Coordinates of all heavy atoms in Angstrom, one line a residue:
M1 N 93.0 110.3 105.4 CA 94.0 110.5 104.5 C 93.3 110.5 103.1 O 92.6 109.6 102.7 CB 95.1 109.4 104.5 CG 96.3 109.7 103.7 SD 97.5 108.3 103.8 CE 97.5 107.9 105.4
S2 N 93.7 111.6 102.2 CA 93.0 111.6 100.9 C 94.0 110.9 99.9 O 95.2 110.8 100.1 CB 92.8 113.0 100.6 OG 94.1 113.7 100.4
A3 N 93.3 110.3 98.9 CA 94.1 109.7 97.7 C 94.8 110.9 97.0 O 94.5 111.8 96.8 CB 93.1 109.0 96.9
A4 N 96.0 110.4 96.5 CA 96.9 111.3 95.7 C 96.2 111.5 94.3 O 95.7 110.6 93.7 CB 98.3 110.7 95.5
S5 N 96.2 112.7 93.9 CA 95.8 113.1 92.6 C 96.6 112.6 91.6 O 97.8 112.3 91.8 CB 95.6 114.6 92.5 OG 96.9 115.1 92.4
P6 N 96.2 112.4 90.3 CA 97.1 111.9 89.2 C 98.4 112.8 89.1 O 99.5 112.2 88.8 CB 96.3 111.9 88.0 CG 94.8 111.9 88.5 CD 94.8 112.6 89.9
A7 N 98.3 114.1 89.4 CA 99.5 114.9 89.2 C 100.6 114.4 90.3 O 101.7 114.5 90.1 CB 99.1 116.3 89.3
E8 N 100.1 114.2 91.5 CA 101.0 113.8 92.5 C 101.6 112.3 92.5 O 102.5 112.1 92.9 CB 100.2 113.9 93.8 CG 99.8 115.3 94.2 CD 98.9 115.3 95.4 OE1 98.0 114.4 95.5 OE2 99.1 116.2 96.4
R9 N 100.9 111.6 91.5 CA 101.5 110.2 91.3 C 102.6 110.1 90.2 O 103.2 109.1 90.0 CB 100.3 109.2 91.0 CG 99.5 109.0 92.2 CD 98.5 107.9 91.8 NE 97.2 108.3 92.5 CZ 96.0 108.6 91.8 NH1 95.9 108.4 90.7 NH2 95.0 109.0 92.6
T10 N 102.8 111.3 89.6 CA 103.8 111.3 88.6 C 105.1 111.3 89.2 O 105.5 112.0 90.0 CB 103.6 112.7 87.6 OG1 102.3 112.7 87.2 CG2 104.6 112.6 86.5
Y11 N 106.0 110.5 88.5 CA 107.4 110.4 89.0 C 108.1 111.8 88.9 O 108.2 112.5 88.0 CB 108.3 109.5 88.0 CG 109.7 109.4 88.6 CD1 110.0 108.7 89.7 CD2 110.7 110.0 87.8 CE1 111.3 108.5 90.0 CE2 112.0 110.0 88.2 CZ 112.3 109.1 89.3 OH 113.6 109.1 89.7
P12 N 108.6 112.3 90.2 CA 109.1 113.6 90.3 C 110.6 113.7 89.7 O 111.6 113.7 90.6 CB 109.0 114.0 91.8 CG 109.1 112.6 92.4 CD 108.5 111.7 91.4
A13 N 110.9 113.6 88.5 CA 112.1 113.6 88.0 C 113.0 114.8 88.3 O 114.2 114.8 88.3 CB 112.1 113.4 86.4
H14 N 112.3 115.9 88.6 CA 113.0 117.2 89.0 C 113.8 117.0 90.3 O 114.7 117.8 90.6 CB 112.0 118.3 89.0 CG 111.1 118.3 90.1 ND1 109.9 117.4 90.0 CD2 111.0 118.7 91.2 CE1 109.2 117.5 91.1 NE2 109.8 118.3 91.9
R15 N 113.5 115.9 91.0 CA 114.1 115.7 92.3 C 115.4 114.8 92.2 O 116.1 114.6 93.2 CB 113.2 115.1 93.3 CG 112.0 116.0 93.5 CD 111.6 115.8 94.9 NE 110.3 116.6 95.2 CZ 110.3 117.6 96.1 NH1 111.4 117.8 96.7 NH2 109.2 118.3 96.2
E16 N 115.8 114.4 91.0 CA 117.0 113.7 90.7 C 118.2 114.5 90.7 O 118.1 115.7 90.3 CB 117.0 112.9 89.3 CG 115.9 111.8 89.2 CD 115.9 111.1 87.9 OE1 116.8 111.4 87.1 OE2 115.2 110.2 87.8
S17 N 119.2 114.1 91.3 CA 120.5 114.8 91.4 C 121.7 114.0 91.4 O 121.7 112.9 92.0 CB 120.5 115.7 92.7 OG 121.6 116.5 92.9
D18 N 122.7 114.3 90.6 CA 124.0 113.7 90.8 C 124.8 114.4 91.8 O 124.9 115.6 92.0 CB 124.7 113.7 89.3 CG 124.0 112.9 88.3 OD1 123.5 111.8 88.7 OD2 123.9 113.4 87.1
V19 N 125.6 113.6 92.6 CA 126.4 114.0 93.6 C 127.8 113.4 93.5 O 127.9 112.3 93.3 CB 125.8 113.5 95.1 CG1 126.5 114.1 96.1 CG2 124.3 114.1 95.2
A20 N 128.7 114.4 93.6 CA 130.1 114.0 93.6 C 130.6 113.7 95.0 O 130.4 114.4 95.9 CB 131.0 115.1 93.1
L21 N 131.1 112.4 95.3 CA 131.6 112.2 96.5 C 133.1 112.5 96.7 O 133.7 112.9 95.8 CB 131.7 110.5 96.6 CG 130.2 109.9 96.5 CD1 130.2 108.4 96.5 CD2 129.1 110.5 97.4
R22 N 133.6 112.6 97.9 CA 135.0 113.0 98.2 C 135.9 112.2 97.6 O 137.0 112.7 97.2 CB 135.0 113.0 99.7 CG 136.0 114.0 100.3 CD 136.1 114.1 101.8 NE 135.6 113.0 102.6 CZ 135.5 113.0 103.8 NH1 135.9 114.1 104.5 NH2 135.0 111.9 104.5
S23 N 135.5 110.9 97.3 CA 136.5 109.9 96.8 C 136.6 110.3 95.3 O 137.5 109.6 94.6 CB 136.0 108.5 96.8 OG 134.7 108.4 96.1
G24 N 135.8 111.1 94.6 CA 135.9 111.3 93.2 C 134.7 110.7 92.4 O 134.6 111.0 91.3
A25 N 134.3 109.6 93.0 CA 133.1 108.9 92.5 C 131.8 109.7 92.5 O 131.7 110.8 93.2 CB 132.9 107.6 93.1
S26 N 130.8 109.3 91.8 CA 129.6 110.0 91.8 C 128.4 109.0 92.0 O 128.5 107.9 91.7 CB 129.3 110.8 90.6 OG 129.2 110.0 89.4
I27 N 127.3 109.6 92.7 CA 126.1 108.8 92.8 C 124.9 109.6 92.3 O 125.1 110.8 92.3 CB 126.0 108.3 94.3 CG1 125.8 109.5 95.3 CG2 127.0 107.3 94.7 CD1 125.3 109.1 96.6
R28 N 123.9 109.0 92.2 CA 122.5 109.7 91.7 C 121.7 109.5 92.9 O 121.3 108.3 93.2 CB 122.0 109.2 90.5 CG 120.7 109.8 90.1 CD 120.4 109.5 88.7 NE 121.1 110.5 88.0 CZ 120.5 111.5 87.1 NH1 119.2 111.6 87.1 NH2 121.3 112.3 86.4
L29 N 121.2 110.6 93.3 CA 120.0 110.6 94.3 C 118.8 110.7 93.5 O 118.6 111.7 92.6 CB 120.1 111.8 95.3 CG 121.4 111.8 96.3 CD1 121.4 113.0 97.2 CD2 121.3 110.6 97.1
R30 N 117.8 110.0 93.8 CA 116.5 110.0 93.0 C 115.4 109.4 93.9 O 115.6 108.6 94.7 CB 116.7 109.3 91.7 CG 116.9 107.8 91.8 CD 116.6 107.2 90.4 NE 117.0 105.7 90.5 CZ 116.2 104.8 90.9 NH1 115.1 105.2 91.6 NH2 116.6 103.5 90.8
P31 N 114.2 109.8 93.5 CA 113.0 109.1 94.1 C 113.0 107.7 93.9 O 113.3 107.2 92.8 CB 111.9 109.8 93.6 CG 112.3 111.1 93.1 CD 113.7 110.9 92.6
L32 N 112.5 106.9 94.8 CA 112.3 105.5 94.7 C 111.1 105.2 93.7 O 110.2 106.0 93.7 CB 111.8 104.9 96.1 CG 111.9 103.4 96.3 CD1 113.4 102.9 96.1 CD2 111.6 103.1 97.8
R33 N 111.3 104.1 92.9 CA 110.3 103.9 91.9 C 109.6 102.5 92.2 O 110.4 101.7 92.9 CB 110.8 103.7 90.5 CG 111.5 105.1 90.1 CD 112.0 105.0 88.8 NE 113.1 103.9 88.6 CZ 114.3 104.1 88.1 NH1 114.6 105.1 87.5 NH2 115.0 103.0 88.0
R34 N 108.5 102.2 91.9 CA 107.9 100.8 92.0 C 108.7 99.7 91.5 O 108.9 98.6 92.1 CB 106.4 100.8 91.4 CG 105.5 101.7 92.2 CD 104.1 101.3 91.7 NE 103.0 102.3 92.4 CZ 102.4 101.8 93.3 NH1 102.5 100.5 93.7 NH2 101.6 102.5 94.1
E35 N 109.3 100.0 90.3 CA 110.1 99.0 89.7 C 111.5 98.7 90.3 O 112.3 97.9 89.9 CB 110.4 99.3 88.2 CG 110.8 100.7 87.9 CD 109.9 101.7 87.6 OE1 108.8 101.6 88.1 OE2 110.3 102.7 87.0
D36 N 111.8 99.5 91.4 CA 113.0 99.3 92.3 C 112.9 98.1 93.3 O 113.8 97.9 94.1 CB 113.4 100.6 93.0 CG 113.9 101.5 92.1 OD1 114.6 101.3 90.9 OD2 113.5 102.8 92.4
E37 N 111.8 97.3 93.3 CA 111.6 96.4 94.3 C 112.8 95.4 94.3 O 113.3 95.1 95.4 CB 110.3 95.6 94.1 CG 110.1 94.6 95.2 CD 108.7 93.8 95.1 OE1 107.8 94.4 94.6 OE2 108.7 92.8 95.6
D38 N 113.2 94.8 93.2 CA 114.2 93.8 93.2 C 115.5 94.5 93.7 O 116.3 93.9 94.5 CB 114.4 93.1 91.9 CG 113.3 92.3 91.5 OD1 112.5 91.7 92.5 OD2 113.0 91.9 90.4
A39 N 115.9 95.6 93.3 CA 117.1 96.3 93.8 C 117.0 96.6 95.1 O 118.1 96.6 95.8 CB 117.3 97.7 92.9
M40 N 115.9 97.0 95.7 CA 115.7 97.3 97.0 C 115.9 96.1 97.9 O 116.5 96.1 98.9 CB 114.3 98.0 97.3 CG 114.2 98.6 98.7 SD 115.3 100.0 98.8 CE 115.5 100.0 100.5
F41 N 115.3 94.9 97.3 CA 115.5 93.6 98.1 C 117.0 93.3 98.2 O 117.5 92.9 99.1 CB 114.7 92.6 97.3 CG 115.0 91.2 97.9 CD1 114.5 90.9 99.2 CD2 115.6 90.2 97.2 CE1 114.7 89.6 99.8 CE2 116.0 89.1 97.9 CZ 115.4 88.6 99.2
A42 N 117.7 93.4 97.1 CA 119.1 93.2 96.9 C 119.9 94.1 98.0 O 120.9 93.7 98.7 CB 119.8 93.5 95.6
F43 N 119.6 95.4 98.0 CA 120.2 96.3 99.0 C 120.0 95.8 100.4 O 120.8 95.7 101.2 CB 119.6 97.7 98.8 CG 120.0 98.7 100.0 CD1 121.3 99.2 100.0 CD2 119.1 99.0 100.9 CE1 121.7 100.0 101.1 CE2 119.5 99.9 102.0 CZ 120.7 100.3 102.1
L44 N 118.6 95.5 100.9 CA 118.3 95.1 102.1 C 119.0 93.8 102.4 O 119.5 93.6 103.6 CB 116.9 95.0 102.4 CG 116.0 96.3 102.2 CD1 114.6 96.0 102.3 CD2 116.5 97.2 103.4
S45 N 119.1 92.9 101.5 CA 119.8 91.6 101.7 C 121.3 91.6 102.0 O 121.8 90.9 102.7 CB 119.5 90.7 100.5 OG 118.1 90.4 100.3
G46 N 121.8 92.7 101.4 CA 123.3 93.0 101.5 C 123.6 93.6 102.9 O 124.8 93.7 103.3
L47 N 122.7 94.0 103.6 CA 122.9 94.7 105.0 C 123.4 93.6 106.0 O 122.9 92.5 106.0 CB 121.7 95.4 105.5 CG 121.1 96.6 104.8 CD1 119.9 97.1 105.3 CD2 122.3 97.7 104.7
S48 N 124.1 94.0 106.9 CA 124.6 93.1 107.9 C 123.4 92.9 108.9 O 122.5 93.6 108.9 CB 125.8 93.6 108.7 OG 125.4 94.9 109.5
A49 N 123.6 91.8 109.7 CA 122.5 91.5 110.6 C 122.3 92.7 111.6 O 121.1 93.1 111.9 CB 122.8 90.2 111.4
Q50 N 123.4 93.2 112.0 CA 123.3 94.4 112.8 C 122.6 95.6 112.2 O 121.7 96.2 112.8 CB 124.7 94.9 113.4 CG 124.6 96.0 114.3 CD 126.0 96.4 115.0 OE1 127.1 96.3 114.2 NE2 126.1 97.0 116.1
A51 N 122.9 95.9 111.0 CA 122.3 97.0 110.3 C 120.8 96.7 110.0 O 119.9 97.6 110.2 CB 122.9 97.2 108.8
R52 N 120.4 95.5 109.8 CA 119.0 95.1 109.7 C 118.4 95.2 110.9 O 117.1 95.6 111.1 CB 118.8 93.6 109.2 CG 119.1 93.5 107.7 CD 118.7 92.1 107.1 NE 119.2 91.1 107.7 CZ 120.2 90.5 107.4 NH1 121.0 90.9 106.4 NH2 120.7 89.4 108.0
A53 N 118.9 94.9 112.1 CA 118.3 95.1 113.4 C 118.1 96.5 113.8 O 117.0 96.8 114.3 CB 119.2 94.3 114.5
F54 N 119.1 97.3 113.4 CA 118.9 98.8 113.6 C 117.7 99.3 112.8 O 117.0 100.2 113.2 CB 120.2 99.6 113.4 CG 121.0 99.4 114.5 CD1 122.5 99.2 114.1 CD2 120.8 99.6 115.8 CE1 123.5 99.1 115.1 CE2 121.8 99.4 116.9 CZ 123.1 99.2 116.5
R55 N 117.6 98.9 111.5 CA 116.6 99.5 110.6 C 115.3 98.9 111.0 O 114.2 99.6 110.9 CB 117.0 98.9 109.2 CG 116.1 99.5 108.1 CD 116.6 99.2 106.6 NE 117.7 99.9 106.3 CZ 117.5 100.9 105.4 NH1 116.3 101.3 104.9 NH2 118.6 101.6 105.0
F56 N 115.1 97.6 111.2 CA 113.8 97.0 111.5 C 113.5 96.6 112.9 O 112.6 96.0 113.2 CB 113.7 95.6 110.6 CG 113.8 95.9 109.1 CD1 114.9 95.6 108.4 CD2 112.8 96.6 108.4 CE1 115.1 95.7 107.1 CE2 113.0 96.8 107.0 CZ 114.1 96.4 106.5
F57 N 114.4 96.7 113.8 CA 114.4 96.4 115.2 C 114.3 94.9 115.4 O 113.8 94.3 116.4 CB 113.2 97.1 115.9 CG 113.3 98.7 115.8 CD1 112.5 99.4 114.9 CD2 114.2 99.3 116.6 CE1 112.6 100.7 114.9 CE2 114.3 100.7 116.4 CZ 113.5 101.5 115.5
T58 N 114.7 94.2 114.4 CA 114.9 92.8 114.4 C 115.8 92.4 113.3 O 115.8 93.0 112.2 CB 113.5 92.1 114.3 OG1 113.7 90.6 114.3 CG2 112.8 92.4 113.0
A59 N 116.6 91.3 113.5 CA 117.4 90.8 112.5 C 116.8 89.8 111.5 O 117.1 89.5 110.4 CB 118.7 90.2 112.9
G60 N 115.5 89.5 112.0 CA 114.7 88.5 111.2 C 113.5 89.1 110.4 O 112.5 88.4 110.2
A61 N 113.7 90.2 109.8 CA 112.7 91.0 109.1 C 112.4 90.2 107.7 O 113.3 89.5 107.2 CB 113.1 92.3 108.7
D62 N 111.3 90.3 107.2 CA 110.8 89.9 105.9 C 111.3 90.9 104.9 O 110.7 91.9 104.6 CB 109.2 89.7 105.8 CG 108.8 89.5 104.4 OD1 109.6 89.0 103.6 OD2 107.5 89.4 104.3
L63 N 112.5 90.6 104.3 CA 113.2 91.6 103.4 C 112.4 91.7 102.2 O 112.2 92.8 101.7 CB 114.5 91.1 103.1 CG 115.4 91.0 104.5 CD1 116.9 90.7 103.9 CD2 115.4 92.4 105.3
R64 N 111.8 90.6 101.5 CA 111.0 90.8 100.3 C 109.8 91.7 100.5 O 109.4 92.5 99.9 CB 110.6 89.4 99.8 CG 109.7 89.5 98.6 CD 110.3 90.3 97.4 NE 111.4 89.7 96.8 CZ 112.1 90.2 95.7 NH1 111.8 91.3 95.2 NH2 113.2 89.5 95.2
G65 N 109.2 91.4 101.6 CA 107.9 92.2 102.0 C 108.3 93.8 102.4 O 107.5 94.6 101.9
A66 N 109.5 93.9 102.9 CA 110.0 95.3 103.3 C 110.2 96.0 102.0 O 110.0 97.1 101.7 CB 111.2 95.2 104.1
A67 N 110.9 95.3 101.0 CA 111.2 95.9 99.7 C 109.9 96.3 98.9 O 109.8 97.3 98.3 CB 112.0 95.1 98.8
R68 N 109.0 95.4 99.0 CA 107.6 95.7 98.3 C 106.9 96.8 99.1 O 106.4 97.8 98.3 CB 106.7 94.4 98.5 CG 105.5 94.5 97.7 CD 104.7 93.1 97.8 NE 105.5 92.0 97.4 CZ 105.9 91.1 98.2 NH1 105.5 91.0 99.5 NH2 106.8 90.0 97.9
W69 N 107.0 96.9 100.3 CA 106.3 98.1 101.1 C 107.0 99.4 100.8 O 106.2 100.3 100.6 CB 106.4 97.7 102.6 CG 105.7 98.7 103.5 CD1 104.3 98.7 103.6 CD2 106.2 99.8 104.2 NE1 103.9 99.8 104.4 CE2 105.2 100.5 104.8 CE3 107.4 100.2 104.4 CZ2 105.3 101.5 105.5 CZ3 107.6 101.3 105.2 CH2 106.6 102.0 105.8
V70 N 108.3 99.5 100.8 CA 109.0 100.8 100.5 C 108.9 101.2 99.0 O 108.9 102.4 98.9 CB 110.4 100.8 101.1 CG1 110.5 100.6 102.6 CG2 111.3 99.9 100.4
T71 N 108.7 100.3 98.2 CA 108.4 100.7 96.8 C 107.1 100.9 96.4 O 106.8 101.2 95.2 CB 109.2 99.6 95.8 OG1 108.6 98.3 96.0 CG2 110.7 99.5 96.1
D72 N 106.1 100.8 97.3 CA 104.7 101.1 97.1 C 104.6 102.7 97.3 O 104.1 103.1 98.2 CB 103.9 100.3 98.0 CG 102.3 100.6 97.8 OD1 102.0 101.1 96.6 OD2 101.5 100.3 98.6
V73 N 105.1 103.4 96.3 CA 105.1 104.9 96.4 C 104.1 105.5 95.5 O 103.6 105.1 94.6 CB 106.5 105.4 96.0 CG1 107.5 104.9 96.9 CG2 106.8 105.0 94.6
D74 N 103.6 106.7 96.1 CA 102.7 107.5 95.2 C 103.1 109.0 95.1 O 102.5 109.8 94.5 CB 101.2 107.4 95.8 CG 101.2 108.1 97.2 OD1 102.1 108.8 97.6 OD2 100.1 107.9 97.8
Y75 N 104.2 109.3 95.7 CA 105.0 110.5 95.7 C 104.1 111.6 96.3 O 104.4 112.8 96.1 CB 105.3 110.9 94.1 CG 106.1 109.9 93.5 CD1 105.5 109.2 92.4 CD2 107.3 109.5 94.1 CE1 106.3 108.1 91.8 CE2 108.0 108.5 93.6 CZ 107.6 107.8 92.3 OH 108.3 106.8 91.8
A76 N 103.0 111.3 97.0 CA 102.3 112.3 97.8 C 102.4 111.9 99.3 O 102.9 112.6 100.0 CB 100.9 112.4 97.3
D77 N 101.9 110.8 99.6 CA 101.8 110.3 101.0 C 102.9 109.2 101.2 O 103.3 108.9 102.4 CB 100.5 109.6 101.3 CG 99.4 110.6 101.3 OD1 99.4 111.9 101.7 OD2 98.3 110.3 100.7
R78 N 103.4 108.6 100.2 CA 104.4 107.5 100.3 C 105.6 107.8 99.3 O 105.3 108.0 98.1 CB 103.7 106.2 100.0 CG 102.7 105.8 101.0 CD 102.3 104.4 101.0 NE 103.4 103.5 100.8 CZ 104.1 102.9 101.8 NH1 103.8 103.1 102.9 NH2 105.0 101.9 101.5
Y79 N 106.7 108.1 99.8 CA 107.8 108.5 99.1 C 109.1 107.9 99.7 O 109.3 107.9 100.9 CB 107.8 110.1 99.2 CG 108.6 110.9 98.3 CD1 108.2 111.3 97.1 CD2 110.0 111.3 98.6 CE1 108.8 112.1 96.2 CE2 110.7 111.9 97.7 CZ 110.2 112.3 96.5 OH 110.9 113.1 95.7
G80 N 110.1 107.7 98.8 CA 111.4 107.4 99.4 C 112.6 107.9 98.5 O 112.2 108.2 97.3
I81 N 113.7 108.0 98.8 CA 114.9 108.5 98.2 C 115.8 107.4 98.3 O 116.1 106.8 99.4 CB 115.4 109.9 98.8 CG1 114.5 110.8 98.8 CG2 116.8 110.1 98.1 CD1 114.2 111.5 97.4
V82 N 116.5 107.1 97.1 CA 117.7 106.2 97.0 C 118.8 106.8 96.4 O 118.8 107.8 95.7 CB 117.4 105.0 96.3 CG1 116.3 104.0 97.0 CG2 116.7 105.2 94.8
A83 N 120.0 106.3 96.8 CA 121.2 106.7 96.1 C 121.6 105.5 95.4 O 121.6 104.4 95.9 CB 122.3 107.0 97.2
V84 N 121.9 105.7 94.0 CA 122.2 104.5 93.1 C 123.7 104.7 92.7 O 124.1 105.9 92.4 CB 121.2 104.4 91.9 CG1 119.9 103.9 92.4 CG2 121.2 105.6 91.2
A85 N 124.4 103.6 92.4 CA 125.8 103.7 91.9 C 125.7 104.0 90.5 O 124.7 104.3 89.9 CB 126.3 102.2 92.1
G86 N 126.9 104.1 89.9 CA 127.2 104.6 88.6 C 126.4 104.0 87.6 O 126.1 104.5 86.5
D87 N 126.0 102.6 87.8 CA 125.3 101.8 86.9 C 123.8 102.2 86.8 O 123.1 101.9 85.9 CB 125.4 100.4 87.1 CG 124.7 99.9 88.4 OD1 124.1 100.7 89.1 OD2 124.9 98.7 88.8
G88 N 123.4 103.0 87.8 CA 122.1 103.5 87.9 C 120.9 102.6 88.3 O 119.9 102.8 88.5
E89 N 121.4 101.3 88.6 CA 120.5 100.4 89.1 C 120.9 99.8 90.4 O 119.8 99.3 91.2 CB 120.6 99.1 88.2 CG 120.2 99.5 86.8 CD 118.7 100.0 86.6 OE1 117.9 99.5 87.3 OE2 118.5 100.9 85.8
T90 N 122.0 99.9 90.9 CA 122.4 99.3 92.2 C 122.1 100.4 93.4 O 122.9 101.3 93.4 CB 123.9 99.0 92.3 OG1 124.2 98.0 91.2 CG2 124.3 98.3 93.6
I91 N 121.3 100.0 94.2 CA 120.9 100.9 95.3 C 121.9 100.8 96.5 O 122.3 99.7 96.9 CB 119.6 100.6 96.0 CG1 118.5 100.9 94.9 CG2 119.3 101.4 97.2 CD1 117.0 100.5 95.4
V92 N 122.7 101.9 96.8 CA 123.6 101.9 97.9 C 123.2 102.6 99.1 O 123.9 102.5 100.2 CB 124.9 102.5 97.3 CG1 125.5 101.7 96.2 CG2 124.8 103.9 96.8
A93 N 122.2 103.2 99.0 CA 121.5 103.9 100.3 C 120.0 104.2 100.0 O 119.7 104.3 98.9 CB 122.3 105.2 100.6
H94 N 119.3 104.3 101.1 CA 117.9 104.4 101.1 C 117.4 105.3 102.3 O 117.9 105.1 103.4 CB 117.2 103.1 101.1 CG 115.7 103.2 101.4 ND1 115.2 102.8 102.7 CD2 114.6 103.5 100.7 CE1 113.8 103.0 102.7 NE2 113.6 103.4 101.5
G95 N 116.5 106.2 102.0 CA 115.9 106.9 103.2 C 114.5 107.3 102.8 O 114.0 107.2 101.7

């Protein structure tokens, strides 16, 4: 695996998009950023035990470590998408 070039490590702002939900609310889809670690930890902590088991194949996952791991992005080999609520900071979905 080759290291990402500096151009590939730049935050891909062109991938941000606002989405209108059927309820009339809106969310923003955007690439995950390194500084999202605390928000990602809050999102993972808010999942039910069953949702954590489906996501990590165990309900006893290290959520802080998982948040750190998924936010270690370079936009070339490591990438993630989040949906954030209207405040722009609260992660409501991750992929």
Side-chain angles (χ1 to χ4, degrees):
M1 187 181 323
S2 62
S5 72
E8 292 171 318
R9 287 187 220 120
T10 304
Y11 178 78
H14 66 282
R15 298 211 182 247
E16 293 184 359
S17 180
D18 291 320
V19 178
L21 302 177
R22 210 169 23 183
S23 67
S26 65
I27 59 169
R28 174 163 283 242
L29 297 177
R30 65 166 175 78
L32 198 59
R33 302 178 301 225
R34 287 183 181 266
E35 56 269 18
D36 288 328
E37 182 180 330
D38 288 338
M40 193 66 208
F41 175 72
F43 168 74
L44 295 173
S45 296
L47 295 175
S48 69
Q50 183 180 26
R52 283 194 304 272
F54 284 135
R55 183 177 283 255
F56 300 112
F57 302 105
T58 178
D62 172 11
L63 300 182
R64 179 53 74 181
R68 189 174 307 113
W69 185 78
V70 299
T71 57
D72 182 19
V73 293
D74 66 10
Y75 307 117
D77 298 317
R78 296 189 48 84
Y79 195 91
I81 298 287
V82 291
V84 292
D87 66 4
E89 299 301 320
T90 304
I91 295 175
V92 297
H94 166 254

